[in-house]
Amino acid sequence: MFGQKIKKVAVLMGGISSEREISFLSGNGVMQALKKLGYQTQAIDVTDDLAKWIKSLTDFKPDVVFNALHGRFGEDGGVQGILNALKIPYTHSGVMASSMGMDKQMTRLIATQIGIPVAKGGLKTKSEFEKMKLPLVVKPNAEGSSCGVQIIKTEKDKKQALQNWPENQKQLVEKYIDGRELSVAVLNGKALGSVELCVKKGWYDYQNKYAEGAVEHLIPAPVSMEQRKKLHLYAEKIHQFLNCRGVSRSDFRLSPTGRIYFLEINTNPGMTPTSLVPDMARLKKMTYEDIVNQLILGASCD
């Protein structure tokens, strides 16, 4: 059940991003799985006290680190650089793939270059956004879990977005694509499956993502065989082109005309009770523990 010589696994959780609470949910789930698998494990709360948590980590002397951090520092290459320097193998993607995947505009540009359609848009200043025609979606360029995402359909929405605009910063603004919300998980370069997200009230925002029963997961996504193949191909292409490791999850929009648009990639997707990756893995008859074990066995440094 162990990987060769892998006995001790530290789980990094918490972090300093807006997704700290979600990281604890992922991390605690992973801890339980590791114990069931027979690994010795220890939780490491990653805070802004760098020396303290690094000491906790090195005192434990893990064979592998499971990175259960989400958002800034956890999946943008920051913590990956530290683990590379410490020469401790870790799960998920390395520095470059993590930093590029966290940058939504960068991944949009890469997707376009490799033939994957994206919604029209780009990084915009406040004044540029003010002149754009509705409907639109405004996103921070480097946040996850839909943090800070705003759907702008009315002038009232636009006024609110202008009031909330970060001082002297650009944000990602895209043309709003009416349609269906789809996601594809990729493990070790191959698609696990697809899911359609049917939100019972509102849209797939932070609150709905993590509220039990707020979103129905249709697995596999009820799309045509041709659309499913295309979704899997796009998710695998962006995973492989960024040189991601372990698991990733790519999000898409399917328009009423049947056109697929890539939204973003998550190089360290959630492992909470309502997360999508464990759900999609069941299509391959994989348990939560199976995914965790595969990520441990594939852990490495850059």
Side-chain angles (χ1 to χ4, degrees):
M1 198 167 286
F2 300 122
Q4 188 179 5
K5 298 183 180 178
I6 299 175
K7 295 182 180 178
K8 298 172 71 175
V9 181
V11 181
L12 299 188
M13 61 177 82
I16 58 174
S17 79
S18 56
E19 298 177 73
R20 179 173 170 81
E21 181 183 347
I22 304 307
S23 174
F24 279 122
L25 290 176
S26 287
N28 288 329
V30 169
M31 288 281 292
Q32 291 177 29
L34 290 169
K35 288 172 183 176
K36 286 181 183 178
L37 290 163
Y39 293 104
Q40 297 176 49
T41 185
Q42 180 171 313
I44 306 290
D45 182 1
V46 175
T47 66
D48 55 7
D49 190 337
L50 195 66
K52 183 179 178 180
W53 70 260
I54 288 179
K55 185 177 187 304
S56 297
L57 179 63
T58 52
D59 284 351
F60 180 58
K61 297 183 173 62
D63 300 306
V64 165
V65 161
F66 192 103
N67 180 12
L69 298 169
H70 302 311
R72 184 169 55 89
F73 186 69
E75 55 182 312
D76 62 2
V79 78
Q80 290 81 1
I82 290 172
L83 294 172
N84 283 336
L86 294 172
K87 295 183 170 57
I88 304 174
Y90 54 94
T91 62
H92 300 81
S93 296
V95 172
M96 189 63 72
S98 299
S99 62
M100 288 193 297
M102 193 68 179
D103 187 323
K104 292 183 177 67
Q105 176 63 357
M106 174 68 74
T107 52
R108 279 168 47 85
L109 293 172
I110 290 169
T112 301
Q113 289 298 311
I114 59 176
I116 301 174
V118 300
K120 289 183 180 179
L123 292 177
K124 304 293 180 182
T125 63
K126 184 177 180 179
S127 60
E128 287 172 332
F129 164 69
E130 197 167 9
K131 298 169 187 172
M132 295 177 71
K133 292 181 180 180
L134 306 182
L136 300 165
V137 180
V138 178
K139 309 174 183 178
N141 194 46
E143 289 283 0
S145 287
S146 299
C147 294
V149 175
Q150 302 168 78
I151 296 177
I152 315 297
K153 291 187 175 181
T154 67
E155 289 301 323
K156 183 180 178 182
D157 294 337
K158 194 172 192 179
K159 184 177 179 181
Q160 186 68 42
L162 287 165
Q163 290 174 351
N164 295 334
W165 201 274
E167 195 67 33
N168 300 319
Q169 285 188 30
K170 290 184 177 182
Q171 294 196 90
L172 180 60
V173 184
E174 296 175 332
K175 195 70 181 170
Y176 174 76
I177 306 295
D178 192 21
R180 298 156 63 187
E181 193 92 23
L182 302 166
S183 196
V184 176
V186 173
L187 179 63
N188 298 329
K190 295 295 182 182
L192 284 175
S194 59
V195 58
E196 180 174 1
L197 307 161
C198 297
V199 183
K200 294 179 181 177
K201 186 178 180 180
W203 60 282
Y204 195 53
D205 60 4
Y206 182 93
Q207 184 175 347
N208 280 324
K209 277 186 179 182
Y210 302 109
E212 200 74 45
V215 182
E216 185 179 4
H217 297 176
L218 302 182
I219 302 174
V223 296
S224 70
M225 185 61 70
E226 183 182 349
Q227 288 169 334
R228 184 171 293 117
K229 285 180 179 178
K230 193 169 283 188
L231 285 163
H232 288 193
L233 174 65
Y234 287 167
E236 289 173 355
K237 279 180 75 172
I238 197 76
H239 178 104
Q240 292 164 6
F241 196 88
L242 290 179
N243 199 26
C244 293
R245 295 200 302 261
V247 70
S248 72
R249 195 197 73 238
S250 289
D251 299 331
F252 300 91
R253 198 80 169 160
L254 179 62
S255 77
T257 62
R259 187 168 170 80
I260 296 169
Y261 294 88
F262 170 78
L263 298 178
E264 61 185 79
I265 189 171
N266 188 326
T267 59
N268 206 330
M271 292 289 283
T272 75
T274 59
S275 290
L276 302 177
V277 169
D279 265 3
M280 283 184 268
R282 293 189 190 106
L283 287 171
K284 302 290 187 184
K285 301 192 184 326
M286 292 179 67
T287 65
Y288 187 102
E289 288 77 19
D290 290 334
I291 302 169
V292 169
N293 204 44
Q294 282 216 24
L295 292 173
I296 292 299
L297 297 179
S300 68
C301 292
D302 285 341

